[in-house]
Every structure is written in structure tokens, then in C-alpha cells.
Amino acid sequence: MRERRIVVPGERLGVVEEFIPGEGVREERGTLYSIYLGSLQEKDINVSVRPFKKPILPLRPGEIALGEIRSADRSVYHVHLTALVKPRRALLSPPVQAVMSKRPPNVGARPSDIVLVRINSIDNGTVTVTMGGPPDLGVILSFCPTCGAPLRKGVGYTLVCERCGKVYLDKKISSRYGWNPFKEGLIRYVKR
Ligand SMILES: [Zn+2]
């Protein structure tokens, strides 16, 4: 058995001719890659990656993070934080789960929105975030709930769908709206 190896998301682990991919491993054109930051588990020809449970960087209140709203219930949004943006810049892998109140200034956000948020508090492992505060906090990318196209920023807090013509004006939009964190690898996918 080889010694324990730490792997990062996207790291090449081998090819399908060598290994059977398990948990935390994805295959692309016959090559196997890690999905997580974690430790590589090899048993005979089975390979898997066990993600680190805790973020490598403990979050601190006041830091600015990038996240994706994954779901909402009656009173809160569930946000996946994928990167720290300010003052530290680092990927959070696996994403850190956070909750955000649905009250103002967060009202109107919806699942699939990409948001810049401030870490409010960390209490017994529960991270709370908010879009309140400086103008760069808020929604930086949003998709049309009707047709799924990315929305363009209009005047003030309006968002416009260029495909179906709908206009939305119900949420706090970041002054950095349109900044593309996908390009920088800070967010990898959006579930719609
Ligand atoms: Zn639309």
C-alpha cells in the first residue's frame, strides 16, 4: 500500500485501464480525476477520494466569500461558499455550507444565483452570511427563472432577460455584477 496522498480537485489520478473509479472520482475520456480536495484511497484497483470534512482555511467573520444559492426554505437560503475573495483569496473545496436569512437586504435572491456575501458569524459550525453592507456585496450573476438565460444588469437594481424580455427588480445586485468567477475557476458549475 502506498503512503497517503493528498489530492486537489481536477488532479489526474490515472486511467480506466488501471483503476476502477469510486467515490470522489470522475472519468473524462478514460482519464480519472479527483472531484475533491482530500486524501486518495487506493485498494487493489479501486480508487476513491475522501474529501476533507473541514475547510482547510477556517472562515472568519467579516471575510467576503463567493457562493451559489442552492436552495431555500421558509426563512433561509442555503448557500454553497466556493471561494474566499477578500481579504484572503482561496478556493473552498469542498464548498462550505452557509445559511442566509431571507429578510432584507437578502430578500428576492433565488436558487442558482451567484452571490458575493460577507461572513456574519460562525457558531457551532453554522456559518451565516449576508449580502448587506458595501455595494460590491449582492448578486453577481443571475439566471432568468422563466427561460434560464443569464440576466443582464439594467438601470439600478433591475435585471433584464435578453432572450424573453422579462425584467426583474427584486434583489440586491452587486456593483460587480457580471464579474465572471467561472472563468477564474472560483465556481465550476451551476445546477439549474
Ligand atoms: Zn428569460
Side-chain angles (χ1 to χ4, degrees):
M1 186 158 172
R2 291 187 218 172
E3 64 186 274
R4 193 174 116 114
R5 184 175 139 204
I6 310 289
V7 294
V8 299
E11 185 165 336
R12 188 184 180 280
L13 305 177
V15 293
V16 284
E17 287 80 8
E18 296 176 278
F19 298 110
I20 298 172
E23 190 97 356
V25 178
R26 69 180 171 83
E27 191 220 307
E28 202 179 306
R29 294 195 201 102
T31 304
L32 305 177
Y33 300 94
S34 174
I35 296 172
Y36 303 122
L37 173 66
S39 64
L40 184 68
Q41 319 280 315
E42 289 181 82
K43 200 177 173 201
D44 304 324
I45 57 165
N46 297 288
V47 68
S48 61
V49 175
R50 187 182 298 162
F52 294 133
K53 288 270 185 336
K54 294 223 167 110
I56 293 292
L57 291 164
L59 304 181
R60 299 172 196 150
E63 288 189 300
I64 307 304
L66 181 72
E68 181 197 342
I69 298 182
R70 298 300 292 262
S71 61
D73 57 32
R74 274 182 59 184
S75 57
V76 296
Y77 300 104
H78 299 275
V79 187
H80 270 191
L81 304 179
T82 58
L84 285 175
V85 174
K86 230 170 44 178
R88 294 184 295 170
R89 202 173 168 104
L91 280 176
L92 299 170
S93 184
V96 174
Q97 318 283 331
V99 293
M100 183 168 81
S101 153
K102 281 179 114 171
R103 295 211 207 126
N106 306 319
V107 70
R110 72 177 72 238
S112 84
D113 280 353
I114 309 295
V115 290
L116 269 181
V117 292
R118 183 169 53 83
I119 312 289
N120 224 358
S121 64
I122 300 151
D123 226 356
N124 286 326
T126 301
V127 178
T128 64
V129 297
T130 178
M131 303 201 297
D136 58 335
L137 299 187
V139 175
I140 61 154
L141 181 61
S142 187
F143 299 90
C144 179
T146 307
C147 75
L151 298 173
R152 181 179 60 78
K153 189 177 181 299
V155 179
Y157 277 175
T158 59
L159 290 175
V160 183
C161 179
E162 287 183 326
R163 195 191 289 169
C164 73
K166 288 223 163 64
V167 175
Y168 303 93
L169 30 75
D170 53 355
K171 54 190 155 200
K172 187 185 181 204
I173 297 164
S174 165
S175 57
R176 296 179 71 183
Y177 189 89
W179 170 49
N180 190 341
F182 295 94
K183 226 170 152 180
E184 297 179 30
L186 298 176
I187 287 188
R188 290 200 161 76
Y189 61 91
V190 169
K191 196 180 171 193
R192 297 213 209 134

